[in-house]
Amino acid sequence: MPIILAIDTSSDACSVALTTKQNAIKESTIIAPREHTQRILPMVQRLLADNEMTLKQLDGVAFGCGPGSFTGLRICISIAQGLAYGADLPLIAVSSLEAMAKGALRLYQPAANSIIMPVIDARMDEVYWSSYKVVGSSIEVELPADYRTSHINKGHTGYIDSPDDCYKHIMQIPCEQICAIGSGWQYPVLQSIEHANIQESFHTSAYDIAELGVESYRQGKLISPLEVEPTYLRNEISWKKRKRIRA
């Protein structure tokens, strides 16, 4: 197994993980809103020291690229860039939503063909979301019918919609049970979905970013520290629209 350091600060959780030569993943996570800047580097240093590793011994640095908290993503990318650049390592971008779904698969072991749906509160009455179907021991992107033709994209990272529109998309996905994870499920319209087993406090974990990072590393999906960008999903047009509304 390649030796990958994974970090994530895209939510209230501050999380780091490290793969080892023994095919294990060691992780450290704390819930620390607005303390990511102070916490993340000491956590990285402690994890490396506890496992008798240095940055130079790593094969790459994986990070949660979003969507998520604007400030949290900037912190995560800045730290990842600094670590990778200083040690001459490649970066590996991992979708925060996919990592959440991977974590739900690992922790809850939902039945085959069920849907795992991470939904994150994006503020401004919007949510980031995606949906994944459980296929054997893995997950695959599963989109509602209207998204399969108009929104499918390479390197899927998720979508942003109002809670009402997200509800409409969810109801187009045929399934008996939804493993519903993330802060976006707090909206009443989403909580009204009877076949959703909701876990609002579920966060992205560096453990799952590390696992997905290993897959990407083996596939050669590597990024130079000078080229990395966050995934915000909320584009410039939507920002300008909201500025006009508030004016």
Side-chain angles (χ1 to χ4, degrees), residues 10-66:
S10 63
S11 65
D12 287 347
C14 192
S15 185
V16 299
L18 181 70
T19 65
T20 71
K21 294 179 180 178
Q22 292 74 37
N23 294 329
I25 299 178
K26 303 297 181 66
E27 179 196 23
S28 175
T29 298
I30 58 171
I31 305 300
R34 296 176 295 279
E35 295 181 13
H36 296 66
T37 303
Q38 298 94 328
R39 298 273 194 162
I40 188 67
L41 272 179
M43 290 175 67
V44 168
Q45 293 166 349
R46 192 177 308 115
L47 184 63
L48 290 172
D50 288 347
N51 290 276
E52 299 180 341
M53 296 288 295
T54 67
L55 286 174
K56 290 291 186 179
Q57 292 174 287
L58 302 178
D59 293 306
V61 177
F63 66 98
C65 67

Side-chain angles (χ1 to χ4, degrees), residues 212-234:
L212 290 168
V214 167
E215 294 177 16
S216 293
Y217 182 88
R218 288 171 173 165
Q219 295 167 9
K221 297 178 180 178
L222 308 176
I223 307 170
S224 163
L226 301 178
E227 298 174 347
V228 63
E229 291 183 0
T231 298
Y232 292 129
L233 293 185
R234 180 174 283 132

Side-chain angles (χ1 to χ4, degrees), residues 44-207:
V44 168
Q45 293 166 349
R46 192 177 308 115
L47 184 63
L48 290 172
D50 288 347
N51 290 276
E52 299 180 341
M53 296 288 295
T54 67
L55 286 174
K56 290 291 186 179
Q57 292 174 287
L58 302 178
D59 293 306
V61 177
F63 66 98
C65 67
S69 158
F70 178 89
T71 302
L73 290 178
R74 296 307 305 178
I75 293 170
C76 187
I77 287 178
S78 296
I79 297 297
Q81 279 182 310
L83 294 174
Y85 186 80
D88 193 25
L89 297 170
L91 286 175
I92 306 163
V94 174
S95 163
S96 301
L97 293 171
E98 184 178 4
M100 288 178 69
K102 190 78 169 178
L105 178 68
R106 171 173 58 89
L107 296 172
Y108 302 142
Q109 299 180 345
N113 298 319
S114 60
I115 295 296
I116 301 175
M117 182 164 287
V119 181
I120 303 173
D121 185 12
R123 313 300 182 188
M124 297 194 290
D125 200 32
E126 289 182 324
V127 294
Y128 303 121
W129 69 276
S130 188
S131 56
Y132 300 84
K133 185 176 182 178
V134 178
V135 180
S137 60
S138 62
I139 53 175
E140 296 179 358
V141 175
E142 178 75 11
L143 300 179
D146 58 341
Y147 266 44
R148 291 172 194 160
T149 55
S150 61
H151 289 71
I152 195 69
N153 58 68
K154 296 179 180 178
H156 172 82
T157 52
Y159 305 105
I160 183 168
D161 281 300
S162 69
D164 288 342
D165 285 341
C166 184
Y167 171 86
K168 293 175 184 176
H169 295 310
I170 291 172
M171 299 309 290
Q172 293 181 44
I173 302 175
C175 68
E176 295 182 359
Q177 190 69 36
I178 295 175
C179 180
I181 53 175
S183 59
W185 285 95
Q186 66 181 295
Y187 289 95
V189 66
L190 298 182
Q191 292 197 345
S192 70
I193 300 174
E194 294 182 355
H195 60 294
N197 182 14
I198 299 174
Q199 302 288 338
E200 288 181 40
S201 60
F202 197 95
H203 300 289
T204 307
S205 168
Y207 184 105

